[in-house]
Amino acid sequence: MATLGIPQNTIAILQKYHFNFQKKFGQNFLIDTHVLEKIIEAAGITKDDFVLEIGPGIGTMTQYLCENAREVVAVEIDQNLIPILGETLAPYDNVTVINEDILKVDIVRLAKEKNGGRPIKVVANLPYYITTPIIMGLFESYVPIDSITIMVQKEVADRMQVGPGTKDYGALSLAVQYYAKPEIIANVPPNCFMPRPNVGSAVIRLTRHETVPVAVEDEKLMFKLIRASFNQRRKTLANGLNNSPEIRLSKEIIQESIAGLGVPLTIRGEALTLEQFAELSNIIGRKM
Ligand code: SAM
């Protein structure tokens, strides 16, 4: 039975193994059973599912995953947690723990071996210091994904969900929304974790689009344009593109392309929708 979400049980196992929290690994363990149940429910885990958990910690959420999924692979970087996981996950025969940095794991291969290449579910209470590389790595490396249900910093969850005209809108919003439909499931206060983080957190579910929502001819070019626009947020789109080392286009081509989009030349990148970035990259791509 999943028992670690109860604070006393977490404290007992940490003391038994003389565990020291490592700040550099973003270790804040969940100690709230309601939040754990909510994550499992939001991820829609069933006995058909193969689940990848990133950063199991002492195995708190892993226990819930083992009870609800067909098979679980949990990737944990901190070797001091491996003996603890050996004990807390001993009752389950459908889990494998890999002691590795998630950024070094070949997840495409893992999905092939463990799930016949069918879309997997990813669930994690993420180490906040590498949230963006983990999410973008999952989307960009063509891992077959059904959904990613994750705990992130509240501010990051907001950034993933918003559209143009808000201060949080940026390259992360556009990238996430290109690949998936983001939905914030719950806000989670610091007292649900041990130790308490300094910031609020949120659970967000990213459901992968079956087909991408915009018609873009060159994805890489679109993301270069997006990065260039938001690198210099307070500048106009034209200046942002002009100043970007990643894009080598004449001022005239940039201006013509923006005009071709039917928007004023003074527009800022932060005012453009995903559809407009896709169209702009198609216009520019044809001129290159
Ligand atoms: N899932 C546990 C829970 O909810 O209580 C722990 C969550 S804690 C926020 C993040 C976990 O990710 C820690 O156990 C940490 O050691 C692990 N971690 C940090 N960086 C990692 C990486 N690059 N690869 C794999 N695990 C990592």
mmCIF file of all heavy atoms in Angstrom, residues 136-159:
data_model
loop_
_atom_site.group_PDB
_atom_site.id
_atom_site.type_symbol
_atom_site.label_atom_id
_atom_site.label_comp_id
_atom_site.label_asym_id
_atom_site.label_seq_id
_atom_site.Cartn_x
_atom_site.Cartn_y
_atom_site.Cartn_z
ATOM 1 N N MET A 136 11.347 20.162 -22.930
ATOM 2 C CA MET A 136 11.667 20.368 -24.334
ATOM 3 C C MET A 136 12.383 19.140 -24.906
ATOM 4 O O MET A 136 12.154 18.755 -26.045
ATOM 5 C CB MET A 136 12.514 21.629 -24.525
ATOM 6 C CG MET A 136 11.795 22.916 -24.174
ATOM 7 S SD MET A 136 10.054 22.953 -24.632
ATOM 8 C CE MET A 136 10.166 22.824 -26.392
ATOM 9 N N GLY A 137 13.220 18.510 -24.088
ATOM 10 C CA GLY A 137 13.905 17.293 -24.529
ATOM 11 C C GLY A 137 12.891 16.209 -24.883
ATOM 12 O O GLY A 137 13.012 15.526 -25.898
ATOM 13 N N LEU A 138 11.860 16.063 -24.045
ATOM 14 C CA LEU A 138 10.844 15.035 -24.306
ATOM 15 C C LEU A 138 10.110 15.318 -25.610
ATOM 16 O O LEU A 138 9.889 14.433 -26.424
ATOM 17 C CB LEU A 138 9.829 14.985 -23.156
ATOM 18 C CG LEU A 138 10.318 14.335 -21.863
ATOM 19 C CD1 LEU A 138 9.336 14.600 -20.728
ATOM 20 C CD2 LEU A 138 10.501 12.835 -22.052
ATOM 21 N N PHE A 139 9.741 16.570 -25.814
ATOM 22 C CA PHE A 139 8.977 16.903 -27.027
ATOM 23 C C PHE A 139 9.855 16.845 -28.282
ATOM 24 O O PHE A 139 9.427 16.331 -29.311
ATOM 25 C CB PHE A 139 8.363 18.294 -26.915
ATOM 26 C CG PHE A 139 7.141 18.336 -26.024
ATOM 27 C CD1 PHE A 139 6.942 19.393 -25.148
ATOM 28 C CD2 PHE A 139 6.176 17.344 -26.085
ATOM 29 C CE1 PHE A 139 5.815 19.445 -24.337
ATOM 30 C CE2 PHE A 139 5.049 17.387 -25.274
ATOM 31 C CZ PHE A 139 4.874 18.441 -24.403
ATOM 32 N N GLU A 140 11.052 17.379 -28.179
ATOM 33 C CA GLU A 140 11.863 17.545 -29.393
ATOM 34 C C GLU A 140 12.581 16.280 -29.842
ATOM 35 O O GLU A 140 13.006 16.181 -30.985
ATOM 36 C CB GLU A 140 12.887 18.674 -29.191
ATOM 37 C CG GLU A 140 12.223 20.030 -29.254
ATOM 38 C CD GLU A 140 13.133 21.160 -28.812
ATOM 39 O OE1 GLU A 140 14.282 20.906 -28.428
ATOM 40 O OE2 GLU A 140 12.660 22.320 -28.862
ATOM 41 N N SER A 141 12.720 15.312 -28.922
ATOM 42 C CA SER A 141 13.497 14.127 -29.317
ATOM 43 C C SER A 141 12.602 13.033 -29.884
ATOM 44 O O SER A 141 13.026 11.899 -30.015
ATOM 45 C CB SER A 141 14.289 13.616 -28.123
ATOM 46 O OG SER A 141 13.367 13.276 -27.123
ATOM 47 N N TYR A 142 11.362 13.380 -30.200
ATOM 48 C CA TYR A 142 10.420 12.438 -30.829
ATOM 49 C C TYR A 142 10.144 11.208 -29.967
ATOM 50 O O TYR A 142 9.934 10.119 -30.485
ATOM 51 C CB TYR A 142 10.908 12.035 -32.224
ATOM 52 C CG TYR A 142 11.015 13.237 -33.131
ATOM 53 C CD1 TYR A 142 12.246 13.824 -33.411
ATOM 54 C CD2 TYR A 142 9.860 13.833 -33.660
ATOM 55 C CE1 TYR A 142 12.333 14.956 -34.209
ATOM 56 C CE2 TYR A 142 9.949 14.966 -34.461
ATOM 57 C CZ TYR A 142 11.190 15.516 -34.723
ATOM 58 O OH TYR A 142 11.265 16.630 -35.500
ATOM 59 N N VAL A 143 10.174 11.385 -28.646
ATOM 60 C CA VAL A 143 9.726 10.315 -27.762
ATOM 61 C C VAL A 143 8.218 10.182 -27.993
ATOM 62 O O VAL A 143 7.518 11.195 -28.020
ATOM 63 C CB VAL A 143 9.982 10.697 -26.280
ATOM 64 C CG1 VAL A 143 9.438 9.629 -25.346
ATOM 65 C CG2 VAL A 143 11.448 10.952 -26.022
ATOM 66 N N PRO A 144 7.694 8.956 -28.190
ATOM 67 C CA PRO A 144 6.238 8.848 -28.324
ATOM 68 C C PRO A 144 5.569 9.133 -26.965
ATOM 69 O O PRO A 144 5.774 8.394 -26.005
ATOM 70 C CB PRO A 144 6.021 7.395 -28.764
ATOM 71 C CG PRO A 144 7.268 6.664 -28.376
ATOM 72 C CD PRO A 144 8.373 7.665 -28.274
ATOM 73 N N ILE A 145 4.831 10.246 -26.911
ATOM 74 C CA ILE A 145 4.266 10.694 -25.625
ATOM 75 C C ILE A 145 2.760 10.803 -25.732
ATOM 76 O O ILE A 145 2.239 11.351 -26.705
ATOM 77 C CB ILE A 145 4.804 12.105 -25.278
ATOM 78 C CG1 ILE A 145 6.309 12.096 -25.138
ATOM 79 C CG2 ILE A 145 4.107 12.676 -24.054
ATOM 80 C CD1 ILE A 145 6.855 12.157 -23.790
ATOM 81 N N ASP A 146 2.071 10.314 -24.725
ATOM 82 C CA ASP A 146 0.626 10.503 -24.619
ATOM 83 C C ASP A 146 0.379 11.788 -23.816
ATOM 84 O O ASP A 146 -0.278 12.707 -24.279
ATOM 85 C CB ASP A 146 0.045 9.272 -23.907
ATOM 86 C CG ASP A 146 -1.413 9.406 -23.577
ATOM 87 O OD1 ASP A 146 -1.748 10.109 -22.596
ATOM 88 O OD2 ASP A 146 -2.220 8.823 -24.290
ATOM 89 N N SER A 147 0.960 11.842 -22.625
ATOM 90 C CA SER A 147 0.826 13.048 -21.801
ATOM 91 C C SER A 147 1.969 13.137 -20.802
ATOM 92 O O SER A 147 2.609 12.138 -20.484
ATOM 93 C CB SER A 147 -0.503 13.022 -21.040
ATOM 94 O OG SER A 147 -0.510 11.910 -20.164
ATOM 95 N N ILE A 148 2.181 14.372 -20.353
ATOM 96 C CA ILE A 148 3.187 14.628 -19.312
ATOM 97 C C ILE A 148 2.436 15.327 -18.182
ATOM 98 O O ILE A 148 1.868 16.396 -18.393
ATOM 99 C CB ILE A 148 4.298 15.565 -19.838
ATOM 100 C CG1 ILE A 148 4.930 15.005 -21.128
ATOM 101 C CG2 ILE A 148 5.352 15.818 -18.789
ATOM 102 C CD1 ILE A 148 6.008 15.919 -21.747
ATOM 103 N N THR A 149 2.388 14.703 -17.017
ATOM 104 C CA THR A 149 1.698 15.332 -15.874
ATOM 105 C C THR A 149 2.761 15.639 -14.833
ATOM 106 O O THR A 149 3.387 14.721 -14.294
ATOM 107 C CB THR A 149 0.622 14.390 -15.310
ATOM 108 O OG1 THR A 149 -0.226 13.988 -16.383
ATOM 109 C CG2 THR A 149 -0.205 15.088 -14.233
ATOM 110 N N ILE A 150 2.967 16.926 -14.589
ATOM 111 C CA ILE A 150 4.126 17.296 -13.782
ATOM 112 C C ILE A 150 3.829 18.411 -12.783
ATOM 113 O O ILE A 150 2.995 19.277 -13.005
ATOM 114 C CB ILE A 150 5.281 17.807 -14.686
ATOM 115 C CG1 ILE A 150 4.701 18.674 -15.808
ATOM 116 C CG2 ILE A 150 6.128 16.682 -15.191
ATOM 117 C CD1 ILE A 150 5.715 19.348 -16.641
ATOM 118 N N MET A 151 4.593 18.339 -11.700
ATOM 119 C CA MET A 151 4.598 19.428 -10.732
ATOM 120 C C MET A 151 5.736 20.358 -11.120
ATOM 121 O O MET A 151 6.877 19.895 -11.283
ATOM 122 C CB MET A 151 4.889 18.844 -9.351
ATOM 123 C CG MET A 151 4.984 19.854 -8.258
ATOM 124 S SD MET A 151 3.381 20.192 -7.550
ATOM 125 C CE MET A 151 3.073 18.676 -6.696
ATOM 126 N N VAL A 152 5.404 21.626 -11.299
ATOM 127 C CA VAL A 152 6.437 22.614 -11.631
ATOM 128 C C VAL A 152 6.222 23.851 -10.766
ATOM 129 O O VAL A 152 5.214 23.962 -10.062
ATOM 130 C CB VAL A 152 6.394 23.015 -13.130
ATOM 131 C CG1 VAL A 152 6.715 21.839 -14.031
ATOM 132 C CG2 VAL A 152 5.051 23.617 -13.502
ATOM 133 N N GLN A 153 7.156 24.784 -10.849
ATOM 134 C CA GLN A 153 6.974 26.060 -10.178
ATOM 135 C C GLN A 153 5.711 26.711 -10.733
ATOM 136 O O GLN A 153 5.500 26.662 -11.955
ATOM 137 C CB GLN A 153 8.150 26.942 -10.549
ATOM 138 C CG GLN A 153 8.831 27.580 -9.398
ATOM 139 C CD GLN A 153 10.118 28.228 -9.892
ATOM 140 O OE1 GLN A 153 11.037 27.523 -10.322
ATOM 141 N NE2 GLN A 153 10.170 29.523 -9.862
ATOM 142 N N LYS A 154 4.897 27.316 -9.882
ATOM 143 C CA LYS A 154 3.630 27.913 -10.317
ATOM 144 C C LYS A 154 3.837 28.881 -11.491
ATOM 145 O O LYS A 154 3.094 28.873 -12.475
ATOM 146 C CB LYS A 154 3.020 28.637 -9.111
ATOM 147 C CG LYS A 154 1.888 29.584 -9.413
ATOM 148 C CD LYS A 154 0.576 28.857 -9.475
ATOM 149 C CE LYS A 154 -0.605 29.758 -9.702
ATOM 150 N NZ LYS A 154 -0.891 30.036 -11.101
ATOM 151 N N GLU A 155 4.894 29.675 -11.379
ATOM 152 C CA GLU A 155 5.167 30.678 -12.403
ATOM 153 C C GLU A 155 5.457 30.024 -13.771
ATOM 154 O O GLU A 155 5.077 30.545 -14.816
ATOM 155 C CB GLU A 155 6.389 31.458 -11.908
ATOM 156 C CG GLU A 155 6.779 32.628 -12.725
ATOM 157 C CD GLU A 155 8.274 32.904 -12.586
ATOM 158 O OE1 GLU A 155 8.793 32.895 -11.440
ATOM 159 O OE2 GLU A 155 8.910 33.097 -13.632
ATOM 160 N N VAL A 156 6.098 28.878 -13.738
ATOM 161 C CA VAL A 156 6.415 28.165 -14.980
ATOM 162 C C VAL A 156 5.143 27.560 -15.576
ATOM 163 O O VAL A 156 4.926 27.595 -16.789
ATOM 164 C CB VAL A 156 7.496 27.078 -14.724
ATOM 165 C CG1 VAL A 156 7.764 26.253 -15.962
ATOM 166 C CG2 VAL A 156 8.779 27.730 -14.234
ATOM 167 N N ALA A 157 4.276 27.039 -14.700
ATOM 168 C CA ALA A 157 2.992 26.495 -15.185
ATOM 169 C C ALA A 157 2.203 27.608 -15.871
ATOM 170 O O ALA A 157 1.626 27.410 -16.948
ATOM 171 C CB ALA A 157 2.202 25.917 -14.017
ATOM 172 N N ASP A 158 2.201 28.792 -15.284
ATOM 173 C CA ASP A 158 1.483 29.931 -15.887
ATOM 174 C C ASP A 158 2.070 30.257 -17.258
ATOM 175 O O ASP A 158 1.335 30.493 -18.205
ATOM 176 C CB ASP A 158 1.583 31.176 -14.996
ATOM 177 C CG ASP A 158 0.757 31.027 -13.728
ATOM 178 O OD1 ASP A 158 -0.157 30.179 -13.728
ATOM 179 O OD2 ASP A 158 1.029 31.734 -12.739
ATOM 180 N N ARG A 159 3.399 30.244 -17.335
ATOM 181 C CA ARG A 159 4.055 30.587 -18.615
ATOM 182 C C ARG A 159 3.683 29.595 -19.709
ATOM 183 O O ARG A 159 3.576 29.955 -20.874
ATOM 184 C CB ARG A 159 5.578 30.591 -18.433
ATOM 185 C CG ARG A 159 6.092 31.951 -18.010
ATOM 186 C CD ARG A 159 7.575 32.035 -18.272
ATOM 187 N NE ARG A 159 8.311 31.683 -17.072
ATOM 188 C CZ ARG A 159 9.494 31.076 -17.065
ATOM 189 N NH1 ARG A 159 10.071 30.724 -18.202
ATOM 190 N NH2 ARG A 159 10.093 30.802 -15.945
#
